[in-house]
Amino acid sequence: MSERMKVDARGAFCPGPLMELIAALKLIEVGDEVELLSTDEGTAKDVPVWCDKVGHELVSSENSDDHWSLIIRKSK
């Protein structure tokens, strides 16, 4: 069964949330997921592009009232 780690990067500005995501992905196993919380608008655009580039799966991206929640599955 896969695990999900939560990274709360709310309040950090680009590239901070992406760097926190990269650090978290190094700590989990292939198939596990990271939920990234961010208030930086650029994160919602940058993370999907980065996932495509490096081969991880963007499972979902949602915008709530004050932040984005992105779920990324480690694919390699």
Side-chain angles (χ1 to χ4, degrees):
M1 182 171 191
S2 66
E3 302 279 329
R4 181 177 293 168
M5 174 187 285
K6 184 178 282 189
V7 174
D8 189 347
R10 290 179 285 189
F13 297 100
C14 188
L18 178 59
M19 301 310 291
E20 290 190 41
L21 171 63
I22 292 169
L25 287 168
K26 291 179 180 177
L27 301 175
I28 64 173
E29 302 292 325
V30 172
D32 289 349
E33 298 173 344
V34 174
E35 180 179 10
L36 176 65
L37 305 178
S38 177
T39 50
D40 182 66
E41 186 174 344
T43 301
K45 299 174 186 169
D46 294 345
V47 168
V49 172
W50 181 81
C51 286
D52 283 343
K53 182 177 179 180
V54 299
H56 295 302
E57 179 184 354
L58 178 66
V59 176
S60 68
S61 176
E62 296 179 16
N63 184 5
S64 67
D65 291 339
D66 63 347
H67 68 278
W68 284 266
S69 172
L70 297 100
I71 298 176
I72 299 92
R73 181 175 298 127
K74 183 173 182 173
S75 299
K76 60 181 186 174

